[in-house]
Amino acid sequence: MNLDVNPVYLNRELSLLAFNRRVLSQAEQHHIPLLERLRYLCIASNNLDEFFEVRIASLLASGRADGLTDDSPALIEALQLTSVECHQLVDRQYSILNKEVLPQLSANGIHLLSDGNRSEAQRSWVKSFFEQEIRPLLTPIGLDPAHPFPQVVNKSLNFIVEMSGKNAFGRHTSIAIIKVPRVLPRVIRMPDSLSPHGISFCLLSSIIHAHIHELFSGREVLSYSQFRVTRNSDLWVDEEEVKNLRQALQSELQSRQFGVAVRLEVAKNSPAHLSDFLLNQFAIAPNRLYAVDGPVNLVRLSEMIDQISQPNLRFPPFAQGHPAYLTSSTAEDIFSQLKKRDILLHHPFQSFQPVVDFILSAAHCPDVLAIKQTIYRTGMNSDLMEALIFAAKRGKEVTVIVELMARFDEEANINWADKLERAGAQVVYGVVGLKTHAKLALVIRRERDKDGLGMLCYYAHLGTGNYHPNTTKLYTDFGLLTANQKLAMEVNEVFMHLTSLTKPKKMDYLWLAPFALQKEIIRAIQNETEIAKQGHPAHIIAKMNALLDESVIRALYAASAEGVKIDLIVRGACALRPGVPGLSENIKVRSIIGRFLEHTRIYYFRNKLQNDVYLASADWMNRNLFRRIEVAFPVLDKTLKKRVIEEGLSFYMKDNTDAWELHSDGNWRKCKPRTRQAAFNAQQHLMALLGAESKTHL
């Protein structure tokens, strides 16, 4: 439970918050378009929500498991460091919003108006909107023995109101709670006729603030505040006991909204006694109270972004590239192309559509007998899922490994699992106790050999990202389409393992967690260490979302001590402490925070110029290596291997505009071009290189 600074390892929670600080810094960058700066504010706020819902909730739960209460000195001490950093982050968020973003939006004709800033005509319209659209849906609850404190949903908007006097029945009831329905929009655009100087918006919370007195006729409202409670959102089911995981999870989803409260947000001017009342009601420690200078949920400001069409306030539009030779719509085309070459796609710079076409072609091709695919995140609307359903209805053997426990995507995955089963697909929920996080798809097709004899041919897609239509446009990932029979047959072996629960055979190409991935990573690191001991150049470059596994970090420290050059590109949390003499002096760590979310996992080992390159679904975290089904796969084609090294690693090592470097003291510092050094932005370079104007890359 102790979060004190460790001389060898950096703290996980503080490292996660440092990542959020890097995201938040994007909102301060004046070269970034204004609406995108607001979006970064929303992203940072959402990240902090998840930090409380998952990490702080986990710390509290582990403390209780150790027999501690929320006011135990050991638990308070353990949470104190994160509390200080979180409060600083929240204060900075609202300072950026109020002092920079909102004034600059106003200067561009986009106004977010409080009641005091609204004209008489605007106030009249707001009053009418309140009476017609809001008031009928509000149900104030005066607290007394017959009306106990209501259930408050996770991250919902609410108000606490203090009144004077007696209620209509002559009783002293001074506190009321207003739960604001989620069906109401949080940002309301006012009529253009009332906005002569641009576009005007007002927040739902501001409208309720202005008219809250009207909800309590005959009572004087003494004070009030908006508030929001964040709850533990990790789902838990006893997978060893339940007979049907999907049914158990559906039941658990209902209770997620009412998990243990971990944070309370109130308005900055909330009276202390009302805040204390809420803290006591939700059993939240005072250091997890956040009095904010603005709306309690900054994430909802994204609704305003969506209603503004000024292109000069957004990133310039970007058209994804598409391999020129994948232009035919026939099913035969993509399979014939894969017979000639492997296809590497670098998302979002290149379109995800060829992967969709791969599955669509398989669904329509009469020679395709079977399709197998893993699903971790796919969203509520998915052409891929519809193609699998179509294939199943046409009688093809469709097997889908659906991960029901994909955090915050459980409901969508349950819905797809139900639709797939009703279409006739074989749906499996992975392995009990292990999340299926591997990104794999397999097509088995009957073809004729040169002698005209029938044979089964295997085609596969392996990726670092999810089969999700939205994230493929926003996250950087690599995907490999291949007809390499040995590699694709090993993909089939993984599916056989997941459906039959038998031990997988030894594989020559794939590194599979939880059986071999961690061992193979450490073996490759140690091999590079031995090469360095022999006096040869040794180099490791790895790119991932998080680096937390201590066994891997120890191996990297040992490699560094022997002279191995190690470059790490870690987007988020990193427990490795670089640049420490005698421990990690040959290790450098950087992070890229740009227009797209860096999501690619790449492992590179120089290996005496064999230049081994693996793409993977796994970060170097204990959960990925031991508690998930993950796959790392080699890039075998020399041309494609060169592309991965260049596009996925070298460009990012050169970045001096979006890059941050981690120092041995645990602090991150933004990179800047040196004197006479040209600015280089990896993501912008890749947009130019792989975008719609360039179709030369395979």
Side-chain angles (χ1 to χ4, degrees):
M1 293 299 301
N2 195 339
L3 296 184
D4 286 343
V5 174
N6 186 302
V8 177
Y9 303 108
L10 297 171
N11 175 261
R12 174 178 183 167
E13 280 70 31
L14 294 181
S15 189
L16 276 169
L17 292 173
F19 163 64
N20 209 39
R21 188 175 283 275
R22 297 196 296 279
V23 173
L24 186 57
S25 73
Q26 295 292 96
E28 296 178 291
Q29 304 300 314
H30 294 280
H31 69 276
I32 293 177
L34 196 52
L35 288 178
E36 305 298 345
R37 293 173 62 188
L38 178 57
R39 195 185 304 279
Y40 279 116
L41 270 179
C42 295
I43 292 170
S45 183
N46 185 68
N47 288 348
L48 204 55
D49 285 351
E50 289 193 19
F51 179 79
F52 276 92
E53 290 176 287
V54 180
R55 292 309 311 159
I56 294 298
S58 176
L59 281 175
L60 290 167
S62 66
R64 295 187 185 106
D66 293 340
L68 304 177
T69 60
D70 283 7
D71 58 356
S72 300
L75 186 56
I76 291 174
E77 180 184 2
L79 293 169
Q80 189 58 40
L81 286 175
T82 58
S83 175
V84 170
E85 180 67 14
C86 285
H87 278 88
Q88 290 178 355
L89 277 170
V90 170
D91 289 344
R92 186 176 169 192
Q93 282 178 353
Y94 285 90
S95 176
I96 295 170
L97 176 70
N98 294 318
K99 296 179 180 179
E100 295 189 42
V101 174
L102 289 182
Q104 291 181 42
L105 282 173
S106 183
N108 281 272
I110 301 166
H111 310 284
L112 185 61
L113 302 175
S114 63
D115 185 56
N117 293 326
R118 294 194 276 263
S119 68
E120 286 302 319
Q122 290 170 335
R123 288 195 189 98
S124 176
W125 182 88
V126 165
K127 180 176 177 60
S128 176
F129 185 87
F130 173 79
E131 292 293 339
Q132 296 176 23
E133 302 291 336
I134 300 175
R135 182 169 184 163
L137 300 181
L138 300 181
T139 306
I141 300 173
L143 303 186
D144 69 5
H147 300 81
F149 199 98
Q151 284 273 48
V152 172
V153 174
N154 181 39
K155 298 188 295 187
S156 61
L157 175 63
N158 308 272
F159 284 82
I160 182 171
V161 183
E162 181 184 25
M163 299 166 290
S164 66
K166 299 178 181 180
N167 63 22
F169 304 96
R171 299 187 181 97
H172 288 280
T173 55
S174 60
I175 299 294
I177 301 296
I178 304 170
K179 299 199 298 181
V180 180
R182 286 189 162 171
V183 295
L184 290 170
R186 286 340 191 222
V187 180
I188 295 95
R189 180 169 175 170
M190 303 181 75
D192 290 345
S193 60
L194 297 177
S195 308
H197 304 294
I199 308 171
S200 296
F201 296 91
C202 53
L203 298 176
L204 175 64
S205 55
S206 170
I207 295 176
I208 295 175
H209 271 297
H211 298 279
I212 202 165
H213 300 77
E214 299 171 25
L215 297 172
F216 302 95
S217 59
R219 303 288 299 275
E220 180 187 0
V221 174
L222 300 176
S223 57
Y224 57 89
S225 175
Q226 58 178 307
F227 72 90
R228 187 174 78 132
V229 175
T230 309
R231 297 181 179 276
N232 184 336
S233 293
D234 251 2
L235 297 182
W236 183 88
V237 293
D238 190 341
E239 295 172 295
E240 298 288 353
E241 296 293 329
V242 299
K243 295 181 179 180
N244 188 312
L245 179 60
R246 190 170 79 189
Q247 290 179 1
L249 194 57
Q250 284 174 314
S251 175
E252 185 71 9
L253 277 170
Q254 301 299 317
S255 61
R256 165 184 267 173
Q257 301 290 358
F258 304 105
V260 174
V262 296
R263 174 181 62 169
L264 173 66
E265 294 165 282
V266 299
K268 185 177 182 180
N269 58 358
S270 173
H273 64 283
L274 291 185
S275 300
D276 291 341
F277 176 85
L278 292 170
L279 287 172
N280 182 65
Q281 182 64 45
F282 295 113
I284 296 175
N287 67 347
R288 282 180 275 125
L289 169 68
Y290 292 79
V292 301
D293 189 13
V296 292
N297 188 352
L298 287 184
V299 178
R300 290 301 193 102
L301 290 180
S302 60
E303 295 177 21
M304 186 169 74
I305 299 172
D306 296 337
Q307 297 182 59
I308 301 170
S309 58
Q310 292 176 234
N312 62 308
L313 300 183
R314 298 177 183 275
F315 284 130
F318 164 65
Q320 296 177 301
H322 193 104
Y325 47 81
L326 289 180
T327 56
S328 172
S329 60
T330 64
E332 189 69 32
D333 181 70
I334 194 162
F335 297 118
S336 63
Q337 290 295 336
L338 288 174
K339 286 286 189 184
K340 299 174 184 176
R341 57 167 79 83
D342 286 355
I343 297 172
L344 182 74
L345 297 169
H346 194 175
H347 313 301
F349 314 107
Q350 291 179 300
S351 172
F352 189 72
Q353 190 59 41
V355 181
V356 177
D357 292 341
F358 173 62
I359 300 298
L360 279 170
S361 297
H364 286 84
C365 178
D367 296 324
V368 168
L369 305 180
I371 305 173
K372 305 181 183 184
Q373 189 167 343
T374 61
I375 296 299
Y376 190 74
R377 300 191 194 280
T378 188
M380 301 300 286
N381 301 301
S382 172
D383 291 340
L384 267 177
M385 295 298 95
E386 296 293 351
L388 292 173
I389 291 170
F390 175 82
K393 288 180 176 179
R394 291 195 66 184
K396 298 185 188 300
E397 194 67 27
V398 176
T399 303
V400 186
I401 314 294
V402 179
E403 179 47 67
L404 295 183
M405 299 289 284
R407 186 181 291 134
F408 303 122
D409 274 76
E410 299 92 347
E411 185 176 359
N413 288 2
I414 287 172
N415 291 337
W416 283 121
D418 182 60
K419 291 179 181 179
L420 286 160
E421 282 187 338
R422 284 191 276 112
Q426 176 65 56
V427 178
V428 179
Y429 304 135
V431 181
V432 170
L434 300 175
K435 286 187 179 182
T436 302
H437 194 245
K439 327 297 185 185
L440 304 171
L442 181 74
V443 171
I444 302 177
R445 188 171 184 252
R446 186 177 296 282
E447 299 177 0
R448 299 285 178 184
D449 63 15
K450 61 182 180 180
D451 298 320
L453 299 176
M455 62 178 184
L456 296 182
C457 292
Y458 297 78
Y459 300 85
H461 173 263
L462 306 94
T464 68
N466 300 301
Y467 294 107
H468 193 296
N470 293 331
T471 59
T472 59
K473 298 175 183 177
L474 302 172
Y475 294 7
T476 68
D477 278 301
F478 276 109
L480 179 71
L481 287 162
T482 182
N484 182 303
Q485 294 301 287
K486 292 182 180 179
L487 184 60
M489 289 174 73
E490 288 195 358
V491 171
N492 191 45
E493 181 64 30
V494 175
F495 280 106
M496 295 289 287
H497 158 64
L498 292 174
T499 56
S500 68
L501 304 181
T502 55
K503 186 176 180 180
K505 296 178 182 177
K506 185 180 183 302
M507 290 184 276
D508 296 322
Y509 295 98
L510 302 185
W511 295 352
L512 178 64
F515 300 99
L517 181 54
Q518 185 255 12
K519 294 177 183 177
E520 292 291 351
I521 291 170
I522 289 181
R523 180 199 58 76
I525 295 172
Q526 291 176 340
N527 178 63
E528 215 62 26
T529 306
E530 288 302 314
I531 291 171
K533 285 182 179 180
Q534 296 166 13
H536 302 296
H539 195 186
I540 297 170
I541 312 175
K543 184 179 182 183
M544 65 203 70
N545 300 331
L547 171 55
L548 297 169
D549 183 73
E550 292 187 4
S551 63
V552 174
I553 293 174
R554 286 195 298 270
L556 291 170
Y557 283 157
S560 170
E562 296 297 338
V564 178
K565 181 182 178 183
I566 301 171
D567 290 298
L568 303 173
I569 307 168
V570 185
R571 185 195 78 211
C574 178
L576 182 147
R577 190 185 294 275
V580 178
L583 177 70
S584 56
E585 56 196 305
N586 291 310
I587 303 177
K588 293 182 179 180
V589 180
R590 58 172 32 212
S591 174
I592 305 292
I593 307 294
R595 173 173 177 171
F596 304 115
L597 181 79
E598 289 297 330
H599 194 251
T600 315
R601 289 92 167 193
I602 308 171
Y603 317 152
Y604 164 81
F605 305 95
R606 189 175 188 272
N607 193 15
K608 295 182 178 179
L609 289 180
Q610 291 189 46
N611 296 321
D612 299 332
V613 173
Y614 280 79
L615 299 173
S617 60
D619 297 312
W620 287 355
M621 300 174 65
N622 183 274
R623 73 179 188 191
N624 297 86
L625 302 179
F626 297 106
R627 300 196 303 278
R628 289 186 174 187
I629 304 296
E630 304 271 17
V631 167
F633 55 95
V635 179
L636 302 173
D637 182 278
K638 290 184 178 180
T639 301
L640 300 187
K641 184 187 294 188
K642 183 178 179 182
R643 272 192 61 196
V644 172
I645 294 171
E646 182 179 53
E647 296 173 18
L649 300 174
S650 298
F651 290 162
Y652 286 93
M653 296 304 300
K654 290 171 57 180
D655 193 300
N656 55 20
T657 62
D658 280 347
W660 296 71
E661 289 187 350
L662 178 61
H663 291 242
S664 59
D665 59 4
N667 290 317
W668 293 84
R669 294 175 178 83
K670 187 77 182 285
C671 296
K672 297 179 181 179
R674 296 189 298 271
T675 304
R676 296 194 180 94
Q677 182 185 39
F680 185 84
N681 183 294
Q683 291 187 358
Q684 290 180 7
H685 186 76
L686 285 164
M687 280 191 282
L689 179 69
L690 299 177
E693 296 303 315
S694 175
K695 300 181 180 180
T696 59
H697 283 270
L698 305 183

